[in-house]
Amino acid sequence: MKNEDLQNIINGLGENLEFTTEATEFLNVTVPKEQLHTICSQLKSNPELKFDYAFCISGMDWGKELGVIYHLHSTEFKHEITVKVTTEDRENPILDSVHDIWQTAEFHELEIYDFFGIKFNNHPKLRRLFLTPDWEGYPLRKDYVDEANMIIK
Amino acid sequence: MNFLIMNIPLNIVSTVHDWIYSIMPETAASITVMVLIAVAYLALFAVAGLYLVLLERKVAAWFQLRLGPNRVGPLGLFQTIADALKLVSKELTSNDRIDKFLYNLAPYFVIVSTLIGISVFPFSKQFQAFDINIGLFFLIAVSSIGVIGILVGGWASNNKFALIGAMRSGLQTISYELSVGLSILTMVLLTGTLQLSEIVEVQRTGGWLILQGHIPAIIAFCIFMIAGTAETNRAPFDLVEAESELGAGFHTEYSGMKFAYFFLAEFINMFIIASIAVVLFFGGWLSPFGITDGITWFPEVLWFLIKVLVIIFLMMWFRWTFPRLRVDQLLTLEWKYLLPLNLANLMIMAIIIWMNWTI
Amino acid sequence: MTDQEIKNKIKTEEYFVNMGPQHPAAHGVLRLLLTIDGEIIKNVEPDLGYIHRSIEKMCERDSYQQIVHLTDRMDYLSSNINNEAVCLAVEKALEIEVSDRVKVIRTIVSELTRIASHCLWWGVMGMDLGALTTYFYAFRDRELINDIFEETCGARLTMNYNAPGGLMYDIHPNFVKRTKDFIKHFKTKIPEYDRLLTGNVIFQKRTKGVGILTKEDAISYGVSGPVARGSGFASDVRKHHPYSAYDRVDFKEVLLTEGDTFARYQVRIMELWESISIIEQLIDNIPEGSVKEPTKAVIKLPKGEYYQRVEAARGELGVYINSTGAKNPYRVKFRSPGFSNLSVLNHIAKGSKIADLVATMASFDFVIPDIDR
């Protein structure tokens, strides 16, 4: 399906969604964090969209905001979009977990929690995956400082 | 000429025997003779065990397109002596939470039962350490004691993996003993005697038992090989020591000489299974078609060893070719397939003997 | 008493076992915390991070040419393919069109890498199940590929042959002949592999019906590669999003529907045949052309986000680069195939035995540096 049609359908699913296609390959949808779970479940269940394959879930630190980027693909219609969700709270960022929609998110959200510190509601067992449980700080954030382990050029 | 030279060891043995009997009273002399024979067997089979290990490594290398050990000594012949020296000089590590008495006792169960089992085999007409009229029965009974060593070793190690490995090994050995016993029983129907030297005599006059018994004997041989491989915990039944699953099984916590006992016992067990197969099915120390019968002990021992080595090669071939079975598949094989087949085979053999259809 | 009443009366306890980070003969430093009841597994919890080298953070500090060198250490068995992913992403962003010669050589080298990776997988799978000889047979053939690469790329494992804009250097004059000799030799070896392992009754009983993954679960868990194709999910990136020279060769996408360990095994063996066919179609007509397009010494990608996916030997490897126009990327994310494949292990392994877990893990073909990055 073309990007314009996708945009029209998705626009009807929620409010305050922002769309853009410049400087990126896929249609980008920015979703407010309160609506994340409902929009994502509709993205999967809507018979014209059917985004059932989340092939890449990355955490991101935009400098002021933290967030998550979901790359979604539909195995039936073969179209793809990118969903972004941000939160401005850097002390205690909390987002909704989508592991009940795409079960691959369970592991990816563990990784995002480990590296960015974003907590997810309703996640079965949020724990540090790669780093040791007593590690302090969240390494992939831009303001992470660690003189012993980081080599800055 | 040759016969005289070959007679020398026999002469030495009888000379020593007479000398001991002449200088000591009856009981002391017989005890001394037994001790001497035990020491001789111990030395001989320790060395034999070492060379079987080397043979295994060379055969494995041959299957895997590489050379085996060939640096230590010509053709690598001193390799296992070097390994034995290393094992003897290793530090005996253990936890502080093991059950000390049982931990130290376990390897002895295994090695002692194995060495007792070796004593009944007839290597030649004159060379048999212990010829009793219930030879086979004694052999099976004694080799069952080895299981205790494995279970005790796994328990006393205070290690989850060792315990899992020991439990698996225990149930594997107990199940497959049934098949081993029944296939031996099938052949005993043909011979009519449990005494090992008599069994070889029956084959001198009538031909090898596997030919005398034709169909049921061949089936019994196949079942015996499968069950015998399982008894000694070798592949494809080596889930006990499946390295890729759970460490090293029941001997995870053993090192040095104690580990050497377990390891050596496995190879001597393989020798025992092969020897039983040779004595029961392939004529013991008799030569095919009687070509060298009548010459003294040397060709007889040689024929015995050649036949045993062929069967051992077959067992090694299994190990390096097949993947291993899962524990429930192992038990299914025994209880649902081999045991009924064995019982049916026993009936067939009984019918064939009754109707005089043996060759 | 009924079965359930007997179960209630005999109390058994679950216990924890580590299939710890040090395994003899296993796939790398992966720690699995198993909760077992007797022989039945109740829960599998992977604990990663033993070889985590923070490649994504290092990429934020290095230049684009330097990132390529970090990628070989991720999935070291398909290192050429990882390099290709980053180079293609950079070329897509800079809108550089590489010559046909580069495309064809990149495809041939990727397929040789895939064959080498599958050879090692086959050897290790046999070894995990107890057939210890398969390892040696597989390495005999892998050594031949490593020798070809040593002559052309200079390395046997982490071959930095791709660079943004093309290749580092041209292929060695012996490359074509040696590759053709290897293909001829290898075609007689795959039937040998089949005789040794595929047709073996014990092997089939250990792998058929074990570790079943349905197609819906595969899609939901984000599984890709031969694991997904063994369950009927058509996810071959070479077919659906072709790159390099894959659009001009004719090959089948191998799909099986049973979803058990044996199906995943057969998918990889059939992929070996497909890779051989791709190389045969390309090796004789490598077009002439330049091997490297000129790029600036300091590469700066225009502001934006770029996603490139390639088919590594384990599945879909994705590279997501977010650039702000500086000479280092702002954020690089590697979507590693092993990470998503590992997430489905708990789901499949519940209720099976430990030996089945070993067989299933062998068929998934994990390389832990790929998961840990």
Side-chain angles (χ1 to χ4, degrees):
Chain A
M1 225 191 281
K2 294 257 175 23
N3 281 347
E4 297 85 37
D5 303 327
L6 283 174
Q7 186 165 341
N8 290 338
I9 299 179
I10 299 177
N11 217 354
L13 296 177
E15 304 151 2
N16 288 339
L17 306 176
E18 292 161 24
F19 295 83
T20 173
T21 47
E22 57 175 74
T24 171
E25 264 174 76
F26 314 117
L27 174 66
N28 276 13
V29 182
T30 309
V31 173
K33 64 179 180 182
E34 301 80 24
Q35 301 176 41
L36 176 67
H37 196 266
T38 38
I39 295 192
C40 283
S41 41
Q42 285 177 325
L43 282 174
K44 179 167 181 193
S45 53
N46 187 314
E48 291 179 328
L49 298 178
K50 281 204 151 181
F51 285 110
D52 49 356
Y53 186 51
F55 57 91
C56 185
I57 303 182
S58 353
M60 186 73 174
D61 180 354
W62 276 286
K64 286 227 287 286
E65 306 141 341
L66 295 173
V68 181
I69 303 178
Y70 301 86
H71 284 82
L72 305 171
H73 170 85
S74 164
T75 51
E76 196 172 320
F77 300 114
K78 312 268 190 260
H79 45 230
E80 296 169 336
I81 62 168
T82 307
V83 174
K84 293 188 187 174
V85 62
T86 62
T87 169
E88 305 234 335
D89 184 358
R90 286 180 81 96
E91 299 299 314
N92 198 13
I94 303 186
L95 290 174
D96 286 331
S97 166
V98 294
H99 83 279
D100 43 347
I101 309 174
W102 301 293
Q103 285 178 300
T104 181
E106 192 179 331
F107 256 54
H108 283 97
E109 286 170 359
L110 285 177
E111 183 189 350
I112 297 175
Y113 170 64
D114 201 358
F115 290 138
F116 287 92
I118 302 178
K119 295 201 181 54
F120 291 93
N121 292 332
N122 304 327
H123 190 97
K125 189 175 171 191
L126 208 56
R127 63 180 201 276
R128 280 212 185 253
L129 189 62
F130 292 111
L131 302 171
T132 54
D134 52 355
W135 193 279
E136 287 173 17
Y138 299 107
L140 272 177
R141 289 195 190 183
K142 292 292 174 188
D143 50 2
Y144 179 71
V145 173
D146 185 353
E147 280 111 24
N149 291 324
M150 276 171 68
I151 301 175
I152 321 253
K153 287 196 202 159
Chain B
M1 266 302 153
N2 302 346
F3 307 160
L4 291 177
I5 296 182
M6 282 193 278
N7 269 331
I8 292 178
L10 271 184
N11 289 339
I12 297 181
V13 165
S14 43
T15 330
V16 168
H17 184 97
D18 295 334
W19 176 66
I20 292 184
Y21 267 91
S22 66
I23 59 170
M24 286 191 236
E26 186 77 30
T27 38
S30 54
I31 292 180
T32 319
V33 166
M34 279 193 247
V35 166
L36 277 177
I37 295 180
V39 167
Y41 262 69
L42 195 64
L44 206 61
F45 280 97
V47 172
L50 290 180
Y51 278 96
L52 276 177
V53 173
L54 181 66
L55 180 67
E56 163 114 50
R57 287 171 73 167
K58 284 283 199 188
V59 163
W62 187 43
F63 282 123
Q64 292 168 356
L65 315 167
R66 55 186 176 96
L67 305 170
N70 60 356
R71 297 275 164 187
V72 186
L75 291 178
L77 284 174
F78 298 149
Q79 175 70 47
T80 31
I81 299 188
D83 283 339
L85 282 176
K86 175 201 77 166
L87 278 175
V88 163
S89 60
K90 255 197 173 160
E91 180 187 351
L92 296 173
T93 62
S94 57
N95 304 346
D96 56 346
R97 299 232 208 119
I98 55 170
D99 187 331
K100 280 209 171 45
F101 176 59
L102 290 177
Y103 180 81
N104 290 325
L105 187 61
Y108 293 106
F109 271 114
V110 174
I111 193 85
V112 166
S113 72
T114 313
L115 288 174
I116 295 180
I118 288 273
S119 64
V120 297
F121 282 112
F123 294 105
S124 131
K125 196 144 181 196
Q126 292 94 343
F127 280 143
Q128 187 171 7
F130 190 39
D131 191 14
I132 51 174
N133 55 351
I134 51 162
L136 267 181
F137 182 59
F138 175 77
L139 186 58
I140 303 293
V142 158
S143 58
S144 315
I145 300 182
V147 179
I148 305 182
I150 297 179
L151 287 171
V152 165
W155 171 262
S157 298
N158 194 29
N159 178 345
K160 274 178 229 176
F161 299 128
L163 190 60
I164 298 178
M167 288 296 137
R168 284 173 168 179
S169 167
L171 57 85
Q172 177 183 331
T173 313
I174 294 176
S175 309
Y176 279 90
E177 264 167 15
L178 283 174
S179 283
V180 167
L182 275 176
S183 47
I184 291 183
L185 195 59
T186 314
M187 299 315 288
V188 165
L189 282 182
L190 264 184
T191 66
T193 166
L194 285 171
Q195 190 170 0
L196 283 164
S197 48
E198 286 293 314
I199 295 181
V200 180
E201 282 303 310
V202 165
Q203 297 183 66
R204 177 208 290 273
T205 44
W208 289 357
L209 278 182
I210 198 169
L211 298 174
Q212 280 189 31
H214 51 90
I215 300 170
I218 295 179
I219 299 179
F221 176 63
C222 294
I223 298 180
F224 179 78
M225 281 315 291
I226 298 176
T229 319
E231 273 283 302
T232 57
N233 291 333
R234 282 183 67 83
F237 305 103
D238 64 346
L239 43 75
V240 170
E241 35 191 60
E243 304 117 4
S244 40
E245 291 182 31
L246 287 176
F250 64 89
H251 50 70
T252 314
E253 294 284 338
Y254 285 92
S255 73
M257 204 55 215
K258 301 202 180 84
F259 172 71
Y261 286 144
F262 279 119
F263 194 56
L264 212 56
E266 178 181 319
F267 283 91
I268 301 185
N269 262 329
M270 194 167 63
F271 188 89
I272 292 184
I273 297 284
S275 304
I276 299 179
V278 163
V279 164
L280 271 183
F281 295 97
F282 292 112
W285 41 260
L286 296 166
S287 48
F289 308 113
I291 34 182
T292 55
D293 274 349
I295 311 178
T296 52
W297 59 276
F298 186 68
E300 296 173 351
V301 172
L302 200 63
W303 278 114
F304 186 84
L305 284 179
I306 290 177
K307 291 179 199 174
V308 164
L309 280 176
V310 168
I311 305 253
I312 289 185
F313 177 74
L314 192 65
M315 289 172 77
M316 289 183 180
W317 198 347
F318 288 163
R319 176 175 185 181
W320 296 107
T321 314
F322 293 134
R324 66 176 71 93
L325 261 64
R326 212 170 56 196
V327 67
D328 63 322
Q329 289 168 341
L330 194 100
L331 296 175
T332 316
L333 177 67
E334 160 65 19
W335 293 98
K336 290 195 193 171
Y337 296 104
L338 285 187
L339 193 61
L341 192 61
N342 237 336
L343 291 171
N345 197 27
L346 194 62
M347 298 303 302
I348 298 177
M349 179 66 103
I351 293 176
I352 287 188
I353 293 179
W354 179 47
M355 308 282 281
N356 256 329
W357 285 339
T358 55
I359 296 177
Chain C
M1 282 195 269
T2 62
D3 268 351
Q4 192 54 43
E5 287 175 8
I6 295 179
K7 263 201 179 132
N8 291 341
K9 280 200 180 255
I10 302 180
K11 268 190 98 53
T12 53
E13 253 180 46
E14 298 174 345
Y15 60 103
F16 292 102
V17 168
N18 257 336
M19 271 179 97
Q22 288 141 324
H23 264 151
H27 307 275
V29 281
L30 173 65
R31 175 178 172 221
L32 291 176
L33 197 61
L34 306 174
T35 312
I36 317 184
D37 180 13
E39 275 267 341
I40 313 280
I41 298 180
K42 295 279 190 241
N43 194 27
V44 176
E45 191 177 300
D47 184 14
L48 307 169
Y50 287 91
I51 193 163
H52 174 69
R53 295 144 297 173
S54 59
I55 289 187
E56 295 179 358
K57 187 83 179 174
M58 283 201 277
C59 286
E60 294 173 11
R61 172 200 73 185
D62 289 339
S63 69
Y64 287 95
Q65 290 100 330
Q66 289 171 317
I67 297 181
V68 176
H69 300 268
L70 290 176
T71 53
D72 325 286
R73 272 95 183 145
M74 279 183 350
D75 174 3
Y76 48 77
L77 291 177
S78 29
S79 46
N80 272 318
I81 308 179
N82 298 355
N83 294 347
E84 197 176 346
V86 174
C87 295
L88 286 171
V90 170
E91 287 159 14
K92 189 197 296 194
L94 293 175
E95 293 178 2
I96 299 178
E97 181 71 32
V98 290
S99 70
D100 273 353
R101 184 176 175 83
V102 168
K103 286 188 183 167
V104 169
I105 295 180
R106 273 181 178 170
T107 311
I108 296 177
V109 164
S110 294
E111 290 305 311
L112 277 176
T113 313
R114 194 184 315 273
I115 294 180
S117 169
H118 284 336
C119 267
L120 191 145
W121 158 80
W122 183 80
V124 171
M125 177 141 192
M127 208 163 71
D128 276 348
L129 291 179
L132 305 158
T133 314
T134 54
Y135 189 72
F136 293 93
Y137 284 32
F139 263 72
R140 170 197 57 188
D141 299 319
R142 198 179 131 86
E143 284 297 309
L144 296 171
I145 300 185
N146 280 347
D147 289 340
I148 299 179
F149 280 142
E150 190 182 9
E151 211 174 25
T152 305
C153 318
R156 288 154 55 92
L157 191 68
T158 53
M159 317 178 238
N160 291 304
Y161 192 45
N162 289 311
L167 305 167
M168 287 265 196
Y169 11 77
D170 204 349
I171 51 174
H172 195 273
N174 281 346
F175 181 78
V176 174
K177 177 175 175 317
R178 284 183 84 161
T179 311
K180 292 216 278 222
D181 287 342
F182 169 74
I183 297 286
K184 210 158 73 132
H185 163 89
F186 195 58
K187 277 190 180 172
T188 63
K189 291 302 167 195
I190 305 185
E192 192 181 286
Y193 292 177
D194 278 336
R195 279 202 306 272
L196 184 55
L197 202 56
T198 317
N200 189 315
V201 166
I202 302 180
F203 179 75
Q204 289 187 353
K205 283 192 88 91
R206 279 294 291 272
T207 53
K208 279 198 177 154
V210 162
I212 297 192
L213 178 65
T214 57
K215 184 174 170 187
E216 292 73 32
D217 280 338
I219 298 178
S220 177
Y221 277 93
V223 172
S224 59
V227 180
R229 295 199 278 281
S231 300
F233 171 34
S235 67
D236 197 339
V237 175
R238 298 175 289 171
K239 274 285 189 204
H240 300 298
H241 306 268
Y243 56 96
S244 289
Y246 285 110
D247 41 4
R248 60 182 96 166
V249 287
D250 187 26
F251 66 102
K252 281 199 320 276
E253 177 181 1
V254 181
L255 269 185
L256 291 174
T257 48
E258 293 98 20
D260 59 2
T261 302
F262 194 61
R264 296 191 275 271
Y265 174 90
Q266 280 180 311
V267 164
R268 287 202 178 91
I269 300 280
M270 289 197 260
E271 278 189 7
L272 281 175
W273 285 111
E274 295 300 322
S275 296
I276 291 183
S277 135
I278 294 178
I279 299 183
E280 278 180 334
Q281 289 171 44
L282 291 176
I283 192 74
D284 281 320
N285 325 317
I286 303 183
E288 300 299 324
S290 74
V291 282
K292 186 141 190 328
E293 304 298 322
T295 56
K296 298 209 188 68
V298 176
I299 296 183
K300 290 188 190 178
L301 294 190
K303 186 165 163 26
E305 317 177 325
Y306 310 98
Y307 189 85
Q308 174 66 39
R309 39 162 85 103
V310 296
E311 177 81 11
R314 269 141 208 92
E316 174 188 328
L317 173 72
V319 176
Y320 167 74
I321 302 185
N322 184 327
S323 160
T324 51
K327 61 177 163 58
N328 308 333
Y330 186 74
R331 164 95 167 107
V332 175
K333 156 100 180 150
F334 291 104
R335 185 259 184 221
S336 79
F339 192 67
S340 311
N341 289 359
L342 183 61
S343 57
V344 82
L345 192 65
N346 188 12
H347 181 73
I348 322 184
K350 275 198 173 68
S352 65
K353 302 187 181 54
I354 304 179
D356 290 338
L357 178 69
V358 173
T360 310
M361 269 179 56
S363 74
F364 267 54
D365 195 11
F366 290 128
V367 167
I368 312 299
D370 182 38
I371 303 178
D372 276 2
R373 277 160 279 141

